[in-house]
Amino acid sequence: MNKVPRESLSSSDISAIGKARWRVLFVCILASLAGLMCGMDIGTISGVLRPFGTQFHASTVALEWVVGGMLVGATVGALTGGRLVEHFGRKVTLIIAAASFFFGAAGCAASQSVMMMILCRVVVGFGMGVSDFSTPLYLSEVARTEQRGAMVSLYQLLKTIGIFLAFFSNSFFASSGDWRSMLVVEAAPAIVFLVLFFFLPRSPRWLMMKGREDDALEVMTGLRGHVAHAEQELAVVGEQLQTKEEGGKLLRTNRNYRRSVGLGMLLQILQQFAGINIIMYYAPHILEAAHFSLKAQMWCTALIGLVNVLMTFVAIGYSDRWGRKPILYAGYISMSVSMAVLAALLWVGASTLALQLTALLMIVIFVGGFAMSAGPLMWVLCAEIQPAGGRSLGISISTGTNMLSNLLIGTTFLSIMELVGSANTFWIFASFNALAVVLLYFFVPETKDVSLDVIEKRLMSGVKLRHLGR
Ligand code: BGC
């Protein structure tokens, strides 16, 4: 876009533009705090399960549904997110998500029965599904074009930080088994964020969609620091809005759109069937199978959370340089190998310290492999492959698929372990990750440096999915 040339800007214009850059960053960090809440919801449960289960004499299946309740809510949230953001706007939808996080987590902390816990987890999950759909959308609409990728990845980064903080707080309360305090730690930030979200600006794009052009200009001028820049950007938004979102109709009538929707679903199935959430929800159970003491289980889980945060920086820093596919191959190969070695260790019985440390190392390699690849990149790809006319519906369906697959794994993992044993369970995940490498080769495009426009043209002219990008 042709910005006003720098020579024609006054020094006060330049200073206003500089301040606006900081304002955008601040707004994006604030909105991404929704990711922190999602992460805390994902991470807390691994610490809560055992003491909660003991207190209420919960069966394995009941515990699986304490995990799964969140995912049922998240699936509903992801599938209804599209309507909420359209009707109420992105900002109000984020406030709804924060309110669900707060009331759901507070309800979990006060739970007097397994059923109450499961129902409150559904409420927390609803916030998570809504947030997973609406936060990246909001970020991509307020960020500057050149920062869009980084700002969307910020959301995943904050999610991993939330998981780490929850693992850390779980370790802190592990010896007392005080599961209610673990859940209070989850609820407390949600109320703060709920208040802070009222200060977010509305999305200029949504204001334009609603015909509130003056309001859109006012907000955009605040975000860009110069009225002419704001006008130029809104003119482009106005043009893009000429393409009506008609996802439902496209789904019925356009085979090529069905291909991109199918690809989005495949990407999210590949992400979830890698098995990341068996570690996120059940790490202490797995470490117990490898004979770790209770205290060691909790601190090792916190270490796993830290690796999850740090390795996310690889994707943020390198996916635009090396490309998405090489990083995905490296991630899935390391996940497959580490799961296979873990399975072998559990099979022989990790009884010596050296074997136990090797088992821990394998979990760390697995989580690191996921965090640098499938964790952030599947979300990036899912947003890139959908054509403008069906973007919201396409992303909503792939997000819903992510939650449903997560639900399937989260609610069956403990039962499968009981049924076939821990070693065989990990063989299954090792094989799935190996299969993912093949599916990546045949179906996934390399989208690095390819504009969304080009991807859309290739998709609509029937080019093979793996050739949609470079
Ligand atoms: C996944 C979550 C997972 C998280 C772990 C996300 O990309 O969608 O299911 O818990 O990564 O960091």
Side-chain angles (χ1 to χ4, degrees), residues 230-259:
E231 276 168 350
Q232 280 173 349
E233 206 166 321
L234 287 180
V236 176
V237 172
E239 264 168 43
Q240 289 169 344
L241 289 179
Q242 303 289 323
T243 313
K244 287 252 167 302
E245 285 247 2
E246 297 184 306
K249 190 171 152 212
L250 274 183
L251 202 59
R252 283 191 304 277
T253 56
N254 191 314
R255 180 178 169 270
N256 287 319
Y257 178 58
R258 286 197 291 272
R259 289 194 308 143

mmCIF file of all heavy atoms in Angstrom, residues 230-259:
data_model
loop_
_atom_site.group_PDB
_atom_site.id
_atom_site.type_symbol
_atom_site.label_atom_id
_atom_site.label_comp_id
_atom_site.label_asym_id
_atom_site.label_seq_id
_atom_site.Cartn_x
_atom_site.Cartn_y
_atom_site.Cartn_z
ATOM 1 N N ALA A 230 -4.821 5.672 7.776
ATOM 2 C CA ALA A 230 -6.037 4.956 8.176
ATOM 3 C C ALA A 230 -7.011 4.891 7.001
ATOM 4 O O ALA A 230 -7.585 3.836 6.711
ATOM 5 C CB ALA A 230 -6.668 5.650 9.372
ATOM 6 N N GLU A 231 -7.151 6.009 6.296
ATOM 7 C CA GLU A 231 -8.098 6.033 5.163
ATOM 8 C C GLU A 231 -7.691 5.039 4.085
ATOM 9 O O GLU A 231 -8.516 4.301 3.544
ATOM 10 C CB GLU A 231 -8.152 7.446 4.563
ATOM 11 C CG GLU A 231 -9.114 8.333 5.330
ATOM 12 C CD GLU A 231 -8.974 9.805 4.947
ATOM 13 O OE1 GLU A 231 -8.003 10.159 4.238
ATOM 14 O OE2 GLU A 231 -9.819 10.594 5.396
ATOM 15 N N GLN A 232 -6.364 4.997 3.804
ATOM 16 C CA GLN A 232 -5.879 4.070 2.763
ATOM 17 C C GLN A 232 -6.185 2.626 3.158
ATOM 18 O O GLN A 232 -6.660 1.826 2.355
ATOM 19 C CB GLN A 232 -4.376 4.212 2.589
ATOM 20 C CG GLN A 232 -4.004 5.406 1.739
ATOM 21 C CD GLN A 232 -2.501 5.615 1.722
ATOM 22 O OE1 GLN A 232 -1.771 5.012 2.496
ATOM 23 N NE2 GLN A 232 -2.056 6.470 0.842
ATOM 24 N N GLU A 233 -5.898 2.308 4.404
ATOM 25 C CA GLU A 233 -6.087 0.912 4.821
ATOM 26 C C GLU A 233 -7.573 0.549 4.797
ATOM 27 O O GLU A 233 -7.943 -0.544 4.379
ATOM 28 C CB GLU A 233 -5.485 0.720 6.217
ATOM 29 C CG GLU A 233 -5.071 -0.699 6.447
ATOM 30 C CD GLU A 233 -4.179 -0.901 7.655
ATOM 31 O OE1 GLU A 233 -3.299 -0.050 7.921
ATOM 32 O OE2 GLU A 233 -4.384 -1.918 8.346
ATOM 33 N N LEU A 234 -8.402 1.504 5.212
ATOM 34 C CA LEU A 234 -9.844 1.207 5.228
ATOM 35 C C LEU A 234 -10.397 1.084 3.810
ATOM 36 O O LEU A 234 -11.342 0.339 3.571
ATOM 37 C CB LEU A 234 -10.599 2.280 6.005
ATOM 38 C CG LEU A 234 -10.393 2.217 7.531
ATOM 39 C CD1 LEU A 234 -11.183 3.311 8.220
ATOM 40 C CD2 LEU A 234 -10.791 0.860 8.096
ATOM 41 N N ALA A 235 -9.758 1.807 2.864
ATOM 42 C CA ALA A 235 -10.225 1.687 1.478
ATOM 43 C C ALA A 235 -10.006 0.243 1.001
ATOM 44 O O ALA A 235 -10.862 -0.358 0.340
ATOM 45 C CB ALA A 235 -9.464 2.664 0.592
ATOM 46 N N VAL A 236 -8.842 -0.330 1.376
ATOM 47 C CA VAL A 236 -8.560 -1.720 0.986
ATOM 48 C C VAL A 236 -9.566 -2.661 1.664
ATOM 49 O O VAL A 236 -10.119 -3.569 1.032
ATOM 50 C CB VAL A 236 -7.113 -2.107 1.387
ATOM 51 C CG1 VAL A 236 -6.849 -3.578 1.083
ATOM 52 C CG2 VAL A 236 -6.119 -1.227 0.648
ATOM 53 N N VAL A 237 -9.820 -2.409 2.957
ATOM 54 C CA VAL A 237 -10.788 -3.248 3.680
ATOM 55 C C VAL A 237 -12.138 -3.172 2.965
ATOM 56 O O VAL A 237 -12.804 -4.184 2.733
ATOM 57 C CB VAL A 237 -10.918 -2.792 5.157
ATOM 58 C CG1 VAL A 237 -12.058 -3.523 5.857
ATOM 59 C CG2 VAL A 237 -9.616 -3.014 5.900
ATOM 60 N N GLY A 238 -12.529 -1.937 2.585
ATOM 61 C CA GLY A 238 -13.804 -1.738 1.902
ATOM 62 C C GLY A 238 -13.885 -2.577 0.635
ATOM 63 O O GLY A 238 -14.888 -3.236 0.358
ATOM 64 N N GLU A 239 -12.757 -2.590 -0.125
ATOM 65 C CA GLU A 239 -12.736 -3.401 -1.357
ATOM 66 C C GLU A 239 -12.890 -4.880 -1.032
ATOM 67 O O GLU A 239 -13.647 -5.603 -1.678
ATOM 68 C CB GLU A 239 -11.388 -3.225 -2.058
ATOM 69 C CG GLU A 239 -11.401 -2.191 -3.151
ATOM 70 C CD GLU A 239 -9.988 -1.878 -3.580
ATOM 71 O OE1 GLU A 239 -9.193 -2.821 -3.730
ATOM 72 O OE2 GLU A 239 -9.673 -0.679 -3.741
ATOM 73 N N GLN A 240 -12.135 -5.307 0.007
ATOM 74 C CA GLN A 240 -12.209 -6.747 0.351
ATOM 75 C C GLN A 240 -13.613 -7.126 0.777
ATOM 76 O O GLN A 240 -14.075 -8.223 0.518
ATOM 77 C CB GLN A 240 -11.233 -7.062 1.490
ATOM 78 C CG GLN A 240 -9.785 -7.006 1.050
ATOM 79 C CD GLN A 240 -8.840 -7.046 2.227
ATOM 80 O OE1 GLN A 240 -9.228 -6.833 3.379
ATOM 81 N NE2 GLN A 240 -7.573 -7.299 1.936
ATOM 82 N N LEU A 241 -14.301 -6.180 1.420
ATOM 83 C CA LEU A 241 -15.638 -6.517 1.919
ATOM 84 C C LEU A 241 -16.656 -6.675 0.790
ATOM 85 O O LEU A 241 -17.759 -7.159 1.006
ATOM 86 C CB LEU A 241 -16.120 -5.469 2.929
ATOM 87 C CG LEU A 241 -15.399 -5.498 4.290
ATOM 88 C CD1 LEU A 241 -15.921 -4.405 5.203
ATOM 89 C CD2 LEU A 241 -15.530 -6.856 4.970
ATOM 90 N N GLN A 242 -16.242 -6.251 -0.433
ATOM 91 C CA GLN A 242 -17.139 -6.466 -1.574
ATOM 92 C C GLN A 242 -17.344 -7.972 -1.799
ATOM 93 O O GLN A 242 -18.360 -8.404 -2.290
ATOM 94 C CB GLN A 242 -16.541 -5.882 -2.869
ATOM 95 C CG GLN A 242 -16.208 -4.403 -2.799
ATOM 96 C CD GLN A 242 -17.461 -3.559 -2.775
ATOM 97 O OE1 GLN A 242 -18.424 -3.885 -3.427
ATOM 98 N NE2 GLN A 242 -17.436 -2.478 -1.996
ATOM 99 N N THR A 243 -16.269 -8.764 -1.447
ATOM 100 C CA THR A 243 -16.411 -10.219 -1.556
ATOM 101 C C THR A 243 -17.216 -10.686 -0.350
ATOM 102 O O THR A 243 -16.738 -10.693 0.760
ATOM 103 C CB THR A 243 -15.018 -10.910 -1.485
ATOM 104 O OG1 THR A 243 -14.149 -10.233 -2.336
ATOM 105 C CG2 THR A 243 -15.117 -12.379 -1.818
ATOM 106 N N LYS A 244 -18.439 -11.023 -0.583
ATOM 107 C CA LYS A 244 -19.311 -11.437 0.526
ATOM 108 C C LYS A 244 -18.873 -12.813 1.040
ATOM 109 O O LYS A 244 -18.478 -13.673 0.285
ATOM 110 C CB LYS A 244 -20.758 -11.549 0.032
ATOM 111 C CG LYS A 244 -21.432 -10.228 -0.224
ATOM 112 C CD LYS A 244 -22.485 -9.949 0.858
ATOM 113 C CE LYS A 244 -23.009 -8.526 0.884
ATOM 114 N NZ LYS A 244 -22.033 -7.477 1.066
ATOM 115 N N GLU A 245 -18.927 -12.978 2.364
ATOM 116 C CA GLU A 245 -18.646 -14.307 2.944
ATOM 117 C C GLU A 245 -19.889 -15.171 2.755
ATOM 118 O O GLU A 245 -20.947 -14.867 3.296
ATOM 119 C CB GLU A 245 -18.333 -14.158 4.432
ATOM 120 C CG GLU A 245 -16.964 -13.606 4.693
ATOM 121 C CD GLU A 245 -16.011 -14.603 5.356
ATOM 122 O OE1 GLU A 245 -16.401 -15.762 5.593
ATOM 123 O OE2 GLU A 245 -14.875 -14.198 5.635
ATOM 124 N N GLU A 246 -19.745 -16.197 1.932
ATOM 125 C CA GLU A 246 -20.896 -17.075 1.697
ATOM 126 C C GLU A 246 -20.453 -18.510 1.865
ATOM 127 O O GLU A 246 -20.628 -19.348 0.973
ATOM 128 C CB GLU A 246 -21.410 -16.881 0.268
ATOM 129 C CG GLU A 246 -21.927 -15.490 0.005
ATOM 130 C CD GLU A 246 -22.517 -15.361 -1.381
ATOM 131 O OE1 GLU A 246 -21.812 -15.702 -2.335
ATOM 132 O OE2 GLU A 246 -23.675 -14.931 -1.479
ATOM 133 N N GLY A 247 -19.815 -18.779 3.013
ATOM 134 C CA GLY A 247 -19.236 -20.103 3.251
ATOM 135 C C GLY A 247 -20.228 -21.229 3.059
ATOM 136 O O GLY A 247 -19.926 -22.234 2.406
ATOM 137 N N GLY A 248 -21.459 -21.057 3.606
ATOM 138 C CA GLY A 248 -22.463 -22.125 3.559
ATOM 139 C C GLY A 248 -22.778 -22.487 2.120
ATOM 140 O O GLY A 248 -22.802 -23.665 1.733
ATOM 141 N N LYS A 249 -22.970 -21.438 1.290
ATOM 142 C CA LYS A 249 -23.326 -21.684 -0.110
ATOM 143 C C LYS A 249 -22.149 -22.347 -0.845
ATOM 144 O O LYS A 249 -22.326 -23.319 -1.577
ATOM 145 C CB LYS A 249 -23.660 -20.333 -0.765
ATOM 146 C CG LYS A 249 -24.269 -20.456 -2.112
ATOM 147 C CD LYS A 249 -24.770 -19.105 -2.584
ATOM 148 C CE LYS A 249 -24.741 -19.060 -4.103
ATOM 149 N NZ LYS A 249 -24.479 -17.735 -4.611
ATOM 150 N N LEU A 250 -20.944 -21.814 -0.577
ATOM 151 C CA LEU A 250 -19.755 -22.392 -1.225
ATOM 152 C C LEU A 250 -19.611 -23.872 -0.882
ATOM 153 O O LEU A 250 -19.270 -24.690 -1.734
ATOM 154 C CB LEU A 250 -18.498 -21.666 -0.738
ATOM 155 C CG LEU A 250 -18.074 -20.397 -1.453
ATOM 156 C CD1 LEU A 250 -16.783 -19.874 -0.863
ATOM 157 C CD2 LEU A 250 -17.855 -20.698 -2.940
ATOM 158 N N LEU A 251 -19.880 -24.184 0.388
ATOM 159 C CA LEU A 251 -19.730 -25.570 0.836
ATOM 160 C C LEU A 251 -20.662 -26.496 0.053
ATOM 161 O O LEU A 251 -20.300 -27.614 -0.305
ATOM 162 C CB LEU A 251 -20.045 -25.629 2.341
ATOM 163 C CG LEU A 251 -19.494 -26.801 3.133
ATOM 164 C CD1 LEU A 251 -17.978 -26.849 3.034
ATOM 165 C CD2 LEU A 251 -19.902 -26.683 4.602
ATOM 166 N N ARG A 252 -21.851 -25.980 -0.237
ATOM 167 C CA ARG A 252 -22.819 -26.813 -0.966
ATOM 168 C C ARG A 252 -22.460 -26.910 -2.454
ATOM 169 O O ARG A 252 -22.630 -27.955 -3.070
ATOM 170 C CB ARG A 252 -24.230 -26.224 -0.827
ATOM 171 C CG ARG A 252 -24.896 -26.500 0.521
ATOM 172 C CD ARG A 252 -26.363 -26.124 0.477
ATOM 173 N NE ARG A 252 -26.599 -24.742 0.079
ATOM 174 C CZ ARG A 252 -26.551 -23.690 0.897
ATOM 175 N NH1 ARG A 252 -26.299 -23.886 2.162
ATOM 176 N NH2 ARG A 252 -26.778 -22.464 0.459
ATOM 177 N N THR A 253 -21.934 -25.809 -3.007
ATOM 178 C CA THR A 253 -21.836 -25.768 -4.463
ATOM 179 C C THR A 253 -20.418 -25.891 -5.024
ATOM 180 O O THR A 253 -20.258 -26.158 -6.210
ATOM 181 C CB THR A 253 -22.404 -24.430 -4.990
ATOM 182 O OG1 THR A 253 -21.672 -23.381 -4.325
ATOM 183 C CG2 THR A 253 -23.883 -24.287 -4.709
ATOM 184 N N ASN A 254 -19.398 -25.635 -4.199
ATOM 185 C CA ASN A 254 -18.057 -25.546 -4.784
ATOM 186 C C ASN A 254 -17.132 -26.659 -4.282
ATOM 187 O O ASN A 254 -16.757 -26.684 -3.113
ATOM 188 C CB ASN A 254 -17.468 -24.168 -4.447
ATOM 189 C CG ASN A 254 -16.210 -23.891 -5.218
ATOM 190 O OD1 ASN A 254 -15.343 -24.736 -5.300
ATOM 191 N ND2 ASN A 254 -16.136 -22.714 -5.814
ATOM 192 N N ARG A 255 -16.753 -27.526 -5.182
ATOM 193 C CA ARG A 255 -15.927 -28.681 -4.818
ATOM 194 C C ARG A 255 -14.545 -28.220 -4.310
ATOM 195 O O ARG A 255 -13.975 -28.793 -3.396
ATOM 196 C CB ARG A 255 -15.769 -29.557 -6.066
ATOM 197 C CG ARG A 255 -14.946 -30.747 -5.827
ATOM 198 C CD ARG A 255 -14.801 -31.667 -7.026
ATOM 199 N NE ARG A 255 -13.750 -32.628 -6.685
ATOM 200 C CZ ARG A 255 -12.469 -32.432 -6.933
ATOM 201 N NH1 ARG A 255 -12.065 -31.327 -7.547
ATOM 202 N NH2 ARG A 255 -11.569 -33.336 -6.573
ATOM 203 N N ASN A 256 -14.008 -27.164 -4.935
ATOM 204 C CA ASN A 256 -12.676 -26.703 -4.527
ATOM 205 C C ASN A 256 -12.682 -26.146 -3.104
ATOM 206 O O ASN A 256 -11.723 -26.322 -2.359
ATOM 207 C CB ASN A 256 -12.157 -25.657 -5.519
ATOM 208 C CG ASN A 256 -11.753 -26.325 -6.814
ATOM 209 O OD1 ASN A 256 -11.154 -27.399 -6.791
ATOM 210 N ND2 ASN A 256 -12.103 -25.719 -7.942
ATOM 211 N N TYR A 257 -13.767 -25.477 -2.742
ATOM 212 C CA TYR A 257 -13.870 -24.979 -1.363
ATOM 213 C C TYR A 257 -13.949 -26.167 -0.393
ATOM 214 O O TYR A 257 -13.321 -26.169 0.663
ATOM 215 C CB TYR A 257 -15.094 -24.071 -1.223
ATOM 216 C CG TYR A 257 -15.283 -23.551 0.197
ATOM 217 C CD1 TYR A 257 -14.287 -22.808 0.828
ATOM 218 C CD2 TYR A 257 -16.453 -23.801 0.900
ATOM 219 C CE1 TYR A 257 -14.465 -22.342 2.124
ATOM 220 C CE2 TYR A 257 -16.638 -23.333 2.190
ATOM 221 C CZ TYR A 257 -15.629 -22.596 2.796
ATOM 222 O OH TYR A 257 -15.798 -22.132 4.086
ATOM 223 N N ARG A 258 -14.688 -27.205 -0.799
ATOM 224 C CA ARG A 258 -14.767 -28.389 0.074
ATOM 225 C C ARG A 258 -13.379 -29.007 0.265
ATOM 226 O O ARG A 258 -13.065 -29.531 1.321
ATOM 227 C CB ARG A 258 -15.744 -29.429 -0.512
ATOM 228 C CG ARG A 258 -17.200 -29.017 -0.356
ATOM 229 C CD ARG A 258 -18.124 -30.206 -0.541
ATOM 230 N NE ARG A 258 -18.156 -30.705 -1.902
ATOM 231 C CZ ARG A 258 -18.973 -30.260 -2.861
ATOM 232 N NH1 ARG A 258 -19.844 -29.299 -2.584
ATOM 233 N NH2 ARG A 258 -18.949 -30.774 -4.072
ATOM 234 N N ARG A 259 -12.519 -28.871 -0.772
ATOM 235 C CA ARG A 259 -11.154 -29.409 -0.626
ATOM 236 C C ARG A 259 -10.383 -28.619 0.434
ATOM 237 O O ARG A 259 -9.677 -29.187 1.259
ATOM 238 C CB ARG A 259 -10.388 -29.307 -1.950
ATOM 239 C CG ARG A 259 -10.888 -30.263 -3.008
ATOM 240 C CD ARG A 259 -9.914 -30.379 -4.164
ATOM 241 N NE ARG A 259 -9.536 -29.078 -4.727
ATOM 242 C CZ ARG A 259 -8.327 -28.786 -5.173
ATOM 243 N NH1 ARG A 259 -7.374 -29.696 -5.153
ATOM 244 N NH2 ARG A 259 -8.051 -27.598 -5.669
#
